Amino acid sequence: MQETHDEVFSEIDCLKCANCCKTTGPLFTEKDIERIAKHLKMKPADFEKKFLRVDEDHDKVLQNLPCWFLNPDNTCSIYEVRPKACREFPHTDRKKIYQINHLTIQNTLVCPAAFEFVERIQQRIDRK
Ligand code: SF4
Ligand code: SF4
């Protein structure tokens, strides 16, 4: 799995895509909110009020997409302090990835890297 993840990401340039930042966005943990608000010199409550909403799963997510912090050149303006979910997306290097199979399949709809990862894993299984 790790080998396939590394292989796929060595071929895909996220800066030419940014589809996750444009169409999905992360969920924000309390730690994310504190860290990013501090970086922006804002109070966490003000940060939440300005950028976030609570979704149907009770997660704190972006009010609008594309993400407010996405620059026109597809870089992230808060890259150093970005949410954990952004750092880990599309989670294809998770140790126990089988636990999130449903999520990985769902991510193939927005993420070309996740799509390619699933295709290659499928090919490997078929070869066995
Ligand atoms: S959608 Fe996938 S390939 Fe595109 S920028 Fe996000 S992680 Fe990278
Ligand atoms: S915080 Fe940065 S990495 Fe995360 S969705 Fe926004 S622009 Fe993308």
Side-chain angles (χ1 to χ4, degrees):
M1 296 285 181
Q2 185 65 49
E3 208 177 281
T4 305
H5 167 90
D6 293 343
E7 198 178 278
V8 167
F9 273 92
S10 70
E11 294 166 20
I12 285 185
D13 182 359
C14 285
L15 290 176
K16 290 199 178 126
C17 172
N19 210 30
C20 45
C21 312
K22 290 174 190 163
T23 64
T24 315
L27 64 81
F28 289 70
T29 65
E30 295 308 314
K31 273 191 183 171
D32 291 331
I33 294 168
E34 278 172 32
R35 187 177 63 253
I36 299 166
K38 190 175 169 196
H39 174 80
L40 297 173
K41 298 185 173 46
M42 291 175 82
K43 288 188 182 143
D46 293 340
F47 175 83
E48 282 192 39
K49 209 166 154 187
K50 183 162 184 193
F51 299 111
L52 306 184
R53 67 178 176 90
V54 177
D55 72 3
E56 48 293 348
D57 299 322
H58 309 290
D59 290 322
K60 289 178 180 171
V61 297
L62 289 164
Q63 282 172 22
N64 298 302
L65 288 165
C67 177
W68 177 271
F69 303 107
L70 183 66
N71 292 320
D73 64 355
N74 285 345
T75 55
C76 170
S77 63
I78 55 165
Y79 189 77
E80 295 305 323
V81 293
R82 69 198 186 285
K84 184 170 180 277
C86 298
R87 283 202 304 271
E88 296 179 353
F89 189 84
H91 315 283
T92 42
D93 58 351
R94 273 246 188 136
K95 282 212 170 73
K96 295 180 181 171
I97 191 168
Y98 57 85
Q99 290 178 338
I100 55 158
N101 278 348
H102 62 291
L103 188 66
T104 306
I105 299 298
Q106 201 178 310
N107 287 339
T108 60
L109 299 175
V110 293
C111 174
F115 179 84
E116 197 53 38
F117 174 84
V118 170
E119 286 280 291
R120 290 188 194 188
I121 294 293
Q122 186 64 51
Q123 285 165 10
R124 283 185 166 203
I125 292 168
D126 289 347
R127 279 203 301 267
K128 285 195 175 163

